[in-house]
Amino acid sequence: MRLTVVGGGSTYTPELVDGFARLRESLPVEELVLVDPAADRLDLVGGLARRIFARQGHPGRIVTTGDLDAGVEGADAVLLQLRVGGQAARQQDETWPLECGCVGQETTGAGGLAKALRTVPVVLDIAERVRRANPDAWIVDFTNPVGIVTRALLQAGHKAVGLCNVAIGLQRKFAGLLGVAPAEVHLDHVGLNHLTWETGVRLGGPEGEDVLPRLLAGHGDTVADDLRLPRSLLDRLGVVPSYYLRYFYAHDEVVRELRTRPSRAAEVAEMERRLLEMYGDPALDEKPALLAKRGGAYYSEAAVDLAASLLGDGGSPYQVVNTYNRGTLPFLPDDAVVEVQAAVGANGATPLPVAPVDPLYAGLMAAVTAYEDLALDAALRGGRDRVFRALLAHPLVGQYAYADALTDQLVAHNREHLAWA
């Protein structure tokens, strides 16, 4: 089995490599190819990746290359984890929206739109080259904004599934609080990427007992602290929103915070500098503890599980993925990309039935889906008016004066990545 990681020079990669090494019975990788144009980073990450495999006795071969076409040749699956513009672009995404009093964030709001506009054309070019090299290869997208990028891939006819680590992180958290194995916890997870709610927490599978009320009653303070939302709100909702919902439920509070502290991008850039120094140490042969603070916790387990199911029968029967709606949420178009539990196999992901969704959540999903429609149109066809329409539709922007000003800022800060600008 040959797997390729595009963006293999990412500081995330040792987390992924560690998962491949530990879970090799589920996913027997014979060759892992790390592709990245940044040769210096790739050398550091590739060296550590080989040492991790060696420490854990993995017989697979690790190849590093800056040649995308060579890297995807013969791949059974290609994982995408790239960041167009790097941390410098992320720093901009998180700062200029604040000038208009809007959340600055890399995956939602105006910053998220900027990332989508930079990313979609690049990902589609990569996917076309994968299809030419090996039309049977699966593409697993971990590149944000996952919902929009996955929709672009599916709309272009690629064999693609989107992946996020929010659900697996909550599954692990809830399992710890309940004192059970993670595999025993099945989430009734519903929404769009980075706009999801856990409406049930079941023990043993989709038909198991829903212990969410017990979880909130006994551990509501812990859950609320992790989400940085009031315990009283969770009690009133009776569900667990993802931490991204704080941008919507406490928008003005978040903006005040973001204006008075260093950006997450600045924190991550410093973390990456330190991680790359560590990766260069020839004595290091395991992922460092600092990597857990970088983000992407449990990404490796989720990625291995998904790839194992797509390429064989080694994965879990049900997994939370991003895929076409196709009637799963009847209030959304069939070609919307939703993030739900699905049965995953060689033919892809088939969403499980979802109970009727409370209008409180369905309304926000519908609004953000409309924004994603417009965002993808802007990413594919360009133009200032399309960018403006997407921003005007986004619930975190919504006012024409803000949309106008943010459009100007977005174009000014991203001109080198926008062919039409």
Side-chain angles (χ1 to χ4, degrees):
M1 182 182 295
R2 188 178 204 238
L3 297 187
T4 298
V5 180
V6 178
S10 168
T11 53
Y12 273 134
T13 299
E15 164 74 24
L16 189 60
V17 171
D18 178 73
F20 288 146
R22 288 186 295 102
L23 305 171
R24 56 184 175 272
E25 290 185 7
S26 299
L27 191 68
V29 177
E30 297 165 290
E31 187 169 80
L32 178 63
V33 184
L34 307 181
V35 180
D36 204 294
D40 291 347
R41 290 175 64 111
L42 190 59
D43 286 345
L44 294 172
V45 173
L48 175 56
R50 293 185 183 96
R51 296 193 297 274
I52 290 173
F53 264 27
R55 176 191 173 104
Q56 300 197 30
H58 195 295
R61 176 172 175 248
I62 293 179
V63 176
T64 58
T65 179
D67 185 335
L68 175 65
D69 293 318
V72 302
E73 183 72 36
D76 295 290
V78 177
L79 281 69
L80 305 181
Q81 57 171 37
L82 56 145
R83 181 182 295 279
V84 179
Q87 293 299 332
R90 177 179 182 169
Q91 170 70 15
Q92 294 177 351
D93 294 344
E94 294 182 356
T95 51
W96 53 261
L98 296 174
E99 297 175 20
C100 293
C102 296
V103 160
Q105 212 278 329
E106 63 156 345
T107 64
T108 191
L113 177 60
K115 193 172 196 300
L117 297 183
R118 294 193 302 268
T119 304
V120 166
V122 174
V123 165
L124 289 179
D125 176 65
I126 292 169
E128 276 303 320
R129 292 159 77 172
V130 172
R131 180 154 54 190
R132 288 198 300 269
N134 184 6
D136 293 326
W138 279 101
I139 295 176
V140 175
D141 178 59
F142 192 67
T143 297
N144 282 318
V146 168
I148 294 172
V149 173
T150 301
R151 184 167 180 181
L153 288 165
L154 292 173
Q155 191 170 286
H158 297 290
K159 292 177 61 177
V161 181
L163 181 64
C164 180
N165 68 315
V166 166
I168 193 171
L170 287 171
Q171 180 204 40
R172 298 301 200 265
K173 179 70 177 181
F174 296 162
L177 294 173
L178 294 167
V180 301
E184 288 297 304
V185 176
H186 178 94
L187 302 178
D188 289 347
H189 180 100
V190 61
L192 314 178
N193 179 243
H194 290 183
L195 194 85
T196 53
W197 296 261
E198 311 309 321
T199 60
V201 177
R202 301 184 182 276
L203 296 183
E207 305 302 323
E209 176 193 5
D210 182 9
V211 296
L212 178 57
R214 186 206 312 170
L215 179 72
L216 288 176
H219 304 283
D221 288 341
T222 299
V223 175
D225 287 347
D226 284 350
L227 300 174
R228 301 188 64 200
L229 288 170
R231 163 73 186 269
S232 59
L233 176 63
L234 300 192
D235 290 338
R236 293 169 72 182
L237 296 178
V239 303
V240 178
S242 87
Y243 50 84
Y244 285 93
L245 265 298
R246 186 167 184 262
Y247 297 120
F248 294 82
Y249 292 163
H251 176 273
D252 293 354
E253 178 182 340
V254 171
V255 168
R256 287 193 295 271
E257 290 175 2
L258 294 175
R259 283 173 161 169
T260 57
R261 70 182 192 200
S263 68
R264 173 64 177 165
E267 294 175 358
V268 168
E270 173 58 21
M271 225 177 292
E272 288 202 332
R273 185 191 65 76
R274 293 168 59 196
L275 284 168
L276 290 170
E277 283 184 359
M278 293 178 183
Y279 295 173
D281 180 356
L284 182 68
D285 58 4
E286 60 185 343
K287 63 179 183 179
L290 178 61
L291 186 54
K293 299 180 181 180
R294 169 67 180 82
Y298 306 113
Y299 163 39
S300 59
E301 283 90 340
V304 169
D305 208 14
L306 179 54
S309 293
L310 293 172
L311 300 176
D313 57 2
S316 304
Y318 308 115
Q319 297 167 46
V320 173
V321 298
N322 286 261
T323 191
Y324 268 150
N325 179 43
R326 290 184 174 143
T328 306
L329 302 179
F331 52 88
L332 298 181
D334 283 350
D335 64 350
V337 164
V338 295
E339 186 173 292
V340 293
Q341 287 278 4
V344 184
N347 293 321
T350 302
L352 301 183
V354 172
V357 176
D358 188 315
L360 180 61
Y361 317 126
L364 188 52
M365 287 183 220
V368 175
T369 296
Y371 152 75
E372 290 189 348
D373 288 346
L374 295 167
L376 183 53
D377 185 44
L380 294 174
R381 298 201 289 162
R384 188 188 185 283
D385 285 348
R386 292 188 181 94
V387 174
F388 170 80
R389 284 166 55 82
L391 288 169
L392 189 61
H394 201 295
L396 296 183
V397 180
Q399 298 184 53
Y400 75 87
Y402 288 171
D404 239 347
L406 289 168
T407 298
D408 289 340
Q409 290 268 40
L410 186 155
V411 174
H413 284 284
N414 292 275
R415 198 175 299 278
E416 66 181 294
H417 300 291
L418 305 177
W420 51 268

